[in-house]
Amino acid sequence: MRILLGVSGGVAAYKAVLLLRLLREAGHAVRVIPTEAALRFVGAPTWEALSGEPVSAEVFDDVAHVPHVALGQGADLLVVAPATADLLARAATGRADDLLTSTLLTARCPVVMAPAMHTEMWEHPATRANVALLRVRGVHVIEPASGRLTGKDTGAGRLPEPEDIAREALAAVAAARAPQDLAGCRVVVSAGGTREPIDPVRWIGNRSTGRQGLALAEAARARGAHVTLVAANLEIPGADAAADTVVRVESTAELREAVRAAGADADVVVMAAAVADFRPAAPTEAKIKKVPGQGPAPIELVENPDILAELVRDRLRSGQVVVGFAAETGDAAGGVLDHGREKARRKGADLLAVNAVGAGRGFGTADNEVWVLDAAGEQLVHATGTKRQVADVLWDAVIKRRG
Ligand code: CTP
């Protein structure tokens, strides 16, 4: 793919260097278009060396090739990261006072902007209005992360991590190109990992970040589905862009209620969330204190309902396709697929996506390997690739199953 990486003048420009590397390593040709101000933070040699392409902030360089038109016309994706308040304002008003803003006017490909600025600037009505206008015009504006800003401040306005920007940007291209084969289909996807409270400050949780669930929601939405995302403690941004409706939950009980409520009129329910099998029997209202000299108090656990098994049993809507996930490590009793087959038969979901986790696989990683089994444990398809690619393969299987 031919990607234009616009960089405007904020301290977070250094993170765009990492974004550039990621995009190049993923095999894309990237041309960097910094603003003059961006070049005060990271110089042209860095961009040129890492992109392997010439770099200019000016429309008056290389005029013979009319770069502001040629670059925009030839691009498959234009990402601006960081997008400063000034860049957003100039883009919203259609200014063309440097190469980046001029290119923004000539590009007809998906445009993704990742704002980064101080919280006050991000929250200012002028910036809010600019972002709203850009979104109405079809620009995909990524929500900034919250956290440490330049200096001592913390708050909303931080540039998201380069991996997350890359993922959202590439998802925007996939969305623009996706077949609309899930149009009219209502889907519910649960994602993330549940937290079972021990006391007001502690919980039992798991390592799920929500990446695969989010990728499933994004893929379905891109293919035309109406998506409800039941998000359990996601550790990555992007939930709001991935779904028509986002229901945020913490515990298994909340997740169960949300999935069942949305599932009542869904054609497909995908349980990609890592759900805790057990929860503390009696979470305390006050924080549990350490009593010197006494060992830890035991925590009694009780079993959680199996939401997936209930969905299979109850079939909330006729013809509903129920999809489960099985995160397996394999052990002395059998390999990943052996456990997956056994789980497919036990759970009875129409489709079960079995994936290998542990030791750098599965949780928190960008890539995934999945076997899709039917309710009898028969393998339908084996998929490897990014979580988005795996998501698309799974939706293909769902469409086939729906017939
Ligand atoms: N699941 C669920 N409710 C639970 C536990 C799991 O709906 N209480 C769902 C998960 O969302 C996933 C599938 O069941 O789609 C399999 O989850 P997993 O934890 O792998 O299966 P378990 O039945 O808990 O089996 P085990 O932990 O013994 O491997």
Side-chain angles (χ1 to χ4, degrees):
M1 208 158 37
R2 174 124 203 96
I3 299 177
L4 301 177
L5 173 58
V7 184
S8 55
V11 172
Y14 79 91
K15 282 195 185 172
V17 176
L18 302 173
L19 177 60
L20 168 59
R21 290 199 69 151
L22 276 178
L23 295 171
R24 294 282 291 139
E25 278 163 15
H28 303 294
V30 186
R31 167 87 175 230
V32 181
I33 312 179
T35 62
E36 269 304 328
L39 290 174
R40 298 177 71 161
F41 290 96
V42 180
T46 302
W47 303 121
E48 285 186 3
L50 291 175
S51 69
E53 303 209 17
V55 166
S56 167
E58 284 285 335
V59 272
F60 292 108
D61 291 340
D62 191 24
V63 175
H65 289 106
V66 201
H68 69 286
V69 180
L71 290 173
Q73 285 175 341
D76 299 299
L77 167 67
L78 200 172
V79 192
V80 185
T84 57
D86 179 64
L87 187 279
L88 293 173
R90 289 193 291 137
T93 48
R95 296 286 298 269
D97 40 13
D98 59 9
L99 185 57
L100 178 55
T101 47
S102 303
T103 304
L104 278 165
L105 293 181
T106 55
R108 293 294 174 270
C109 59
V111 176
V112 176
M113 295 192 181
M117 63 199 74
H118 272 79
T119 309
E120 291 83 350
M121 296 175 89
W122 173 245
E123 289 175 349
H124 193 281
T127 306
R128 307 308 311 153
N130 290 334
V131 168
L133 184 56
L134 289 166
R135 282 184 171 148
V136 167
R137 293 195 192 132
V139 174
H140 182 104
V141 182
I142 299 177
E143 279 300 307
S146 273
R148 182 82 194 270
L149 303 169
T150 316
K152 290 194 174 130
D153 317 15
T154 50
R158 207 176 128 92
L159 189 73
E161 293 311 309
E163 297 78 27
D164 294 318
I165 299 173
R167 188 177 50 77
E168 272 200 54
L170 297 176
V173 178
R177 295 179 176 177
Q180 295 300 293
D181 49 6
L182 285 169
C185 188
R186 296 184 72 85
V187 313
V188 177
V189 177
S190 72
T194 60
R195 289 177 183 174
E196 307 300 323
I198 299 171
D199 67 12
V201 294
R202 304 179 178 98
W203 67 79
I204 297 174
N206 58 68
R207 288 184 190 278
S208 176
T209 58
R211 278 200 167 79
Q212 183 63 71
L214 209 59
L216 280 156
E218 281 168 355
R221 192 151 192 244
R223 291 166 74 158
H226 178 280
V227 179
T228 300
L229 177 67
V230 179
N233 314 298
L234 299 194
E235 285 183 15
I236 50 169
D240 292 302
D244 298 275
T245 309
V246 181
V247 188
R248 289 188 165 78
V249 299
E250 286 210 3
S251 65
T252 299
E254 290 168 9
L255 185 115
R256 177 176 178 271
E257 201 180 309
V259 165
R260 291 184 70 88
D265 63 351
D267 302 298
V268 186
V269 182
V270 182
M271 284 294 298
V275 182
D277 290 326
F278 303 102
R279 66 177 187 279
T284 58
E285 278 184 22
K287 184 182 168 198
I288 300 170
K289 302 295 284 182
K290 178 176 66 186
V291 182
Q294 277 183 22
I299 299 171
E300 194 198 331
L301 300 178
V302 290
E303 195 165 342
N304 271 329
D306 188 324
I307 305 167
L308 180 65
E310 286 180 352
L311 291 170
V312 172
R313 183 193 66 200
D314 300 345
R315 295 286 167 182
L316 298 175
R317 186 161 191 257
S318 96
Q320 184 174 80
V321 176
V322 177
V323 183
F325 264 80
E328 302 290 349
T329 58
D331 56 21
V336 168
L337 208 46
D338 301 318
H339 284 292
R341 287 211 176 87
E342 184 277 322
K343 197 170 282 179
R345 292 184 202 114
R346 176 159 52 86
K347 297 251 181 182
D350 301 302
L351 300 172
L352 187 77
V354 181
N355 69 314
V357 293
R361 303 203 289 176
F363 292 133
T365 61
D367 286 357
N368 214 355
E369 176 170 23
V370 161
W371 293 263
V372 182
L373 310 181
D374 66 13
E378 292 301 320
Q379 182 177 323
L380 302 177
V381 52
H382 172 232
T384 53
T386 63
K387 290 189 173 179
R388 176 57 186 264
Q389 286 165 334
V390 166
D392 275 312
V393 169
L394 192 60
W395 287 118
D396 291 342
V398 167
I399 289 168
K400 223 174 191 176
R401 170 70 219 234
R402 274 162 57 81

Coordinates of all heavy atoms in Angstrom, one line a residue, residues 271 273 275-277 305-308 324-328 343 346-347, ligand 1:
M271 N -18.6 -14.6 21.4 CA -18.0 -14.5 22.8 C -16.5 -14.5 22.7 O -15.9 -15.6 22.9 CB -18.6 -15.6 23.7 CG -20.0 -15.4 24.1 SD -20.2 -14.0 25.2 CE -19.1 -14.5 26.6
A273 N -14.7 -12.5 24.6 CA -14.2 -12.0 25.9 C -13.6 -13.2 26.7 O -14.1 -14.4 26.6 CB -15.3 -11.4 26.8
V275 N -13.7 -14.8 29.9 CA -14.6 -14.7 31.1 C -14.0 -15.5 32.2 O -13.6 -16.7 32.1 CB -16.0 -15.2 30.7 CG1 -17.0 -15.1 31.8 CG2 -16.5 -14.5 29.4
A276 N -14.0 -14.9 33.4 CA -13.5 -15.7 34.6 C -14.5 -16.8 34.9 O -15.7 -16.6 35.0 CB -13.4 -14.7 35.8
D277 N -13.9 -18.0 35.1 CA -14.8 -19.1 35.5 C -15.3 -19.0 36.9 O -16.3 -19.6 37.2 CB -14.0 -20.4 35.3 CG -13.7 -20.7 33.9 OD1 -14.5 -20.4 33.0 OD2 -12.6 -21.2 33.6
P305 N -21.7 -18.3 35.9 CA -22.5 -19.0 34.9 C -21.6 -19.0 33.6 O -20.8 -18.1 33.4 CB -23.7 -18.0 34.7 CG -23.3 -16.7 35.3 CD -22.3 -17.0 36.4
D306 N -21.8 -20.0 32.8 CA -21.1 -20.1 31.5 C -22.0 -19.4 30.5 O -23.0 -20.0 30.0 CB -20.9 -21.6 31.1 CG -20.0 -21.7 29.9 OD1 -20.2 -20.9 29.0 OD2 -19.2 -22.6 29.8
I307 N -21.7 -18.2 30.1 CA -22.5 -17.4 29.3 C -22.7 -18.0 27.9 O -23.8 -18.1 27.3 CB -21.9 -15.9 29.1 CG1 -21.7 -15.3 30.5 CG2 -22.8 -15.1 28.3 CD1 -20.8 -14.1 30.5
L308 N -21.6 -18.5 27.4 CA -21.6 -19.1 26.0 C -22.6 -20.4 26.0 O -23.4 -20.5 25.1 CB -20.2 -19.5 25.6 CG -20.1 -20.2 24.2 CD1 -20.5 -19.2 23.1 CD2 -18.7 -20.7 24.0
G324 N -18.0 -19.1 19.8 CA -17.1 -19.0 21.0 C -15.7 -19.0 20.7 O -15.3 -19.2 19.6
F325 N -14.9 -18.7 21.7 CA -13.4 -18.7 21.6 C -12.9 -19.7 22.6 O -13.5 -19.8 23.7 CB -12.8 -17.3 21.8 CG -12.6 -16.6 20.5 CD1 -13.6 -15.9 19.9 CD2 -11.3 -16.5 19.9 CE1 -13.4 -15.3 18.7 CE2 -11.1 -15.9 18.7 CZ -12.2 -15.2 18.1
A326 N -11.8 -20.3 22.3 CA -11.1 -21.1 23.3 C -9.6 -20.8 23.3 O -9.0 -21.0 22.3 CB -11.3 -22.6 22.9
A327 N -9.2 -20.2 24.3 CA -7.8 -19.8 24.5 C -7.1 -21.0 25.2 O -7.5 -21.3 26.3 CB -7.6 -18.6 25.3
E328 N -6.2 -21.7 24.5 CA -5.6 -22.9 25.0 C -4.1 -22.8 25.0 O -3.5 -22.2 24.1 CB -6.1 -24.1 24.2 CG -7.6 -24.3 24.1 CD -8.2 -24.8 25.4 OE1 -7.5 -25.1 26.3 OE2 -9.5 -24.8 25.5
K343 N -13.6 -28.9 23.8 CA -14.4 -27.8 24.2 C -15.5 -27.5 23.2 O -16.7 -27.2 23.6 CB -13.5 -26.5 24.3 CG -14.2 -25.4 25.1 CD -13.2 -24.3 25.5 CE -12.3 -24.7 26.6 NZ -11.3 -23.7 27.0
R346 N -18.2 -29.9 24.0 CA -18.8 -29.6 25.3 C -19.7 -28.4 25.2 O -20.8 -28.3 25.8 CB -17.7 -29.5 26.3 CG -18.1 -29.1 27.7 CD -17.1 -29.4 28.7 NE -15.7 -28.9 28.4 CZ -15.3 -27.7 28.7 NH1 -16.1 -26.9 29.4 NH2 -14.1 -27.3 28.4
K347 N -19.2 -27.3 24.5 CA -19.9 -26.0 24.6 C -21.0 -26.0 23.5 O -22.0 -25.3 23.7 CB -18.9 -24.9 24.3 CG -17.9 -24.7 25.3 CD -18.1 -23.5 26.2 CE -17.0 -23.3 27.2 NZ -17.2 -22.2 28.1
Ligands
CTP1 N1 -17.1 -18.4 28.5 C1 -18.3 -17.9 28.9 N2 -18.6 -17.9 30.2 C2 -17.7 -18.4 31.1 C3 -16.5 -18.9 30.7 C4 -16.2 -18.9 29.3 O1 -19.1 -17.5 28.1 N3 -18.0 -18.4 32.4 C5 -16.9 -18.4 27.0 C6 -15.7 -17.5 26.6 O2 -16.1 -16.2 26.2 C7 -15.2 -18.3 25.3 C8 -15.5 -19.7 25.7 O3 -16.5 -19.7 26.7 O4 -16.0 -17.9 24.2 C9 -14.4 -20.6 26.2 O5 -13.8 -19.9 27.2 P1 -12.7 -20.7 28.0 O6 -12.3 -19.9 29.2 O7 -11.6 -21.1 27.1 O8 -13.5 -22.0 28.4 P2 -13.9 -22.7 29.7 O9 -15.2 -23.3 29.5 O10 -13.7 -21.8 30.9 O11 -12.8 -23.9 29.8 P3 -11.4 -24.0 30.6 O12 -11.2 -22.7 31.4 O13 -11.6 -25.2 31.4 O14 -10.4 -24.1 29.5

